[in-house]
């Protein structure tokens, strides 16, 4: 099926235009040092420029001593609660925790039993989309990319809101709860329509089950027989808890806060989060890890053999294998050094199910990548760099074990992270007060205007 718009601009014309563009858009990298500009809002040691304050989430991966950045075990906290304690507390009580995390992020404290029951009831009631929404907004315009379709759907929901531009806290909280609840429904509908339109497969849309947790609801919607085990749902629930937030400085949350600071509506601000998270340097990295794994599994005689994996990683860093970028996906993080707590938790909780479902070889291969990458990096680059596995290294395998298609790896990340986006939007509205407006130094030289007949 093809309903793509064909551009009237020829490739020759584009090539000529790009040549004109290149002449006046390249900035000398030395100018960044000359004018003390911090590219990517990063300090020289790789740490992030301090751009704001938040009470929602803390991400710790190093400490500063006498001006030197020193590595330490990673720590992720939601509202002051260690993510390990949150996850382990839910595991010990054999209960689903994502809804609990949603309450914690939005309202700032752990919910009581009655508060949690009330929140689950609200989310259950809000899962249904406006009448004819799926038919009009999703079915009529299939999309190859689910993230783009989810972003478009969020923007379309603006038209169904009787009070979309009201940025008062009660109204934004209402919108936030509705969006958090609706995301799995939108995601599944977009995927089912893609299956029919581009894969020539049967589309199925199951009735909404209000009594299910978010993790159960996602699996119920995605499986044609609607069957899944409690162990599978609990593992997905852990993924949702781990991805719900990651501080105010991660790209998608920062994008949401920037738009919020302008006074724009909720739908516009949240759509910015989707656009950012889709990027391969952010949420889309889990797909890069999956493709990296596919290459290793298909090209190595024994991907569980350390020497074979090491040789392959050397080729990746030398741009002789992989996607040619020289990057080993799933390794290293902007903040975490010795460990990413999300990766540690996922690895520990996914191993049993991975082995049971026949993914022992894949799991061992990931362990080899995690073990060998720092060593290979030091040998090839000549630099001793402390690095750890990040959450993307193991999340893709978890989704694969759960039978979740690659099309939905990043969208499920978004289904979880929207809770954090909404929490940060509410905090920005409550405490921000100023539009974010950083400065850019112009490095253009002054030039005299010429009439068109004088231009060469």
């Amino acid at each position: 099926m093809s309903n793509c718009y064909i551009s009237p601009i020829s490739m020759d014309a584009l090539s000529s235009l790009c040549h004109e563009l290149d002449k006046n858009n390249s900035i000398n990298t030395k100018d960044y040092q000359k004018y003390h500009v911090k590219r990517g809002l990063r300090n020289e040691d790789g740490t992030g420029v301090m751009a704001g304050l938040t009470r929602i989430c803390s991400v710790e991966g190093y400490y500063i001593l006498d001006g030197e950045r020193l590595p330490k075990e990673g720590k992720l906290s939601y509202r002051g609660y260690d993510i390990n304690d949150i996850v382990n507390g839910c595991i010990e009580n054999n209960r689903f925790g994502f809804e609990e995390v949603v309450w914690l992020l939005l309202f700032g404290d752990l919910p009581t039993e009655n508060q949690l029951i009330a929140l689950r009831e609200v989310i259950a009631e809000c899962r249904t989309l406006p009448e004819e929404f799926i038919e009009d907004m999703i079915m009529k315009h299939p999309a190859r990319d689910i993230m783009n379709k989810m972003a478009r759907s969020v923007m379309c929901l603006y038209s169904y809101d009787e009070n979309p531009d009201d940025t008062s806290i009660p109204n934004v909280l209402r919108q936030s709860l509705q969006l958090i609840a609706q995301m799995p429904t939108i995601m599944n509908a977009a995927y089912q329509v893609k299956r029919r339109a581009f894969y020539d497969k049967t589309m199925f849309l199951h009735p909404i089950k209000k009594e299910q947790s978010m993790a159960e609801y996602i699996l119920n919607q995605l499986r044609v027989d609607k069957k899944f085990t409690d162990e599978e749902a609990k593992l997905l629930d852990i993924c949702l808890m781990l991805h719900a937030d990651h501080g105010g400085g991660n790209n998608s949350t920062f994008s949401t806060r920037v738009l919020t600071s302008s006074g724009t509506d909720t739908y516009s601000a949240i759509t910015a989060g989707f656009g950012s998270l889709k990027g391969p340097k952010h949420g889309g990295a889990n797909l890069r890890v999956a493709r990296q794994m596919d290459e290793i599994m298909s090209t190595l005689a024994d991907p569980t053999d350390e020497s074979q994996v090491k040789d392959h990683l050397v080729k990746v860093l030398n741009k002789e294998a992989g996607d040619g970028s020289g990057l080993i996906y799933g390794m290293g993080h902007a903040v975490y050094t010795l460990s990413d707590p999300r990766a540690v938790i996922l690895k520990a909780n996914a191993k049993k199910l991975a082995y049971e479902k026949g993914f022992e070889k894949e799991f061992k291969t990931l362990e080899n990548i995690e073990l060998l990458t720092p060593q290979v990096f030091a040998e090839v680059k000549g630099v001793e760099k402390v690095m750890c596995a990040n959450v993307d290294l193991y999340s893709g395998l978890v989704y694969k074990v759960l039978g979740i298609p690659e099309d939905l790896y990043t969208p499920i990340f978004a289904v979880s992270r929207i809770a954090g986006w909404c929490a940060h939007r509410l905090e920005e509205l409550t405490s921000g007060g100023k539009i974010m407006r950083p400065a850019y130094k112009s490095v253009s030289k002054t030039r005299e205007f010429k009439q068109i007949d004088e231009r060469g």
Side-chain angles (χ1 to χ4, degrees), residues 266-444:
T266 296
Y267 303 98
S268 295
I270 297 302
T271 299
F274 275 94
S276 167
L277 193 69
K278 178 192 174 186
K281 294 181 180 180
H282 194 7
N286 53 27
L287 272 177
R288 298 294 180 95
V289 173
R291 287 162 189 161
Q292 172 181 270
M293 172 64 86
D294 289 341
E295 181 185 41
I296 291 174
M297 297 300 292
S298 63
T299 58
L300 301 188
D302 181 7
T304 65
D305 180 72
E306 288 188 18
S307 63
Q308 292 185 39
V309 173
K310 182 179 179 181
D311 290 343
H312 182 81
L313 295 178
V314 169
K315 291 178 181 179
V316 171
L317 288 181
N318 287 325
K319 300 183 180 181
E320 298 168 354
D323 62 3
S325 66
L327 299 175
I328 299 174
Y329 296 106
M331 292 298 300
H333 192 270
V335 179
Y336 298 125
T337 52
L338 294 181
S339 64
D340 179 340
R342 303 167 301 171
V344 174
I345 292 171
L346 265 190
K347 179 180 178 181
N349 286 279
K351 185 173 183 177
K352 179 175 178 290
L353 192 60
Y355 276 50
E356 288 177 356
K357 287 184 171 286
F359 291 94
E360 181 178 350
K361 184 179 291 186
E362 286 85 348
F363 196 90
K364 288 181 177 179
T365 301
L366 290 180
E367 288 185 310
N368 281 337
I369 294 172
E370 180 180 7
L371 173 68
L372 297 169
T373 295
Q375 176 186 340
V376 171
F377 192 90
E379 293 177 4
V380 174
K381 300 292 185 180
V383 178
E384 293 285 345
K385 182 178 181 180
V386 177
M387 68 173 69
C388 62
N390 60 51
V391 69
D392 294 314
L393 187 67
Y394 288 97
S395 64
L397 180 59
V398 169
Y399 295 148
K400 193 171 185 178
V401 168
L402 293 174
I404 294 170
E406 283 191 11
D407 284 320
L408 298 182
Y409 284 9
T410 309
I412 282 183
F413 191 162
V415 165
S416 172
R417 183 57 61 85
I418 192 173
W421 295 337
C422 290
H424 282 273
R425 172 167 168 76
L426 286 161
E427 185 179 61
E428 185 67 30
L429 289 170
T430 303
S431 305
K434 289 185 177 292
I435 185 171
M436 292 191 193
R437 204 327 188 156
Y440 267 64
K441 168 70 178 178
S442 173
V443 291
S444 292

Side-chain angles (χ1 to χ4, degrees), residues 5-19:
Y5 169 74
I6 305 300
S7 172
I9 306 175
S10 69
M11 292 305 297
D12 287 343
L14 273 176
S15 178
S16 176
L17 290 171
C18 287
H19 176 70

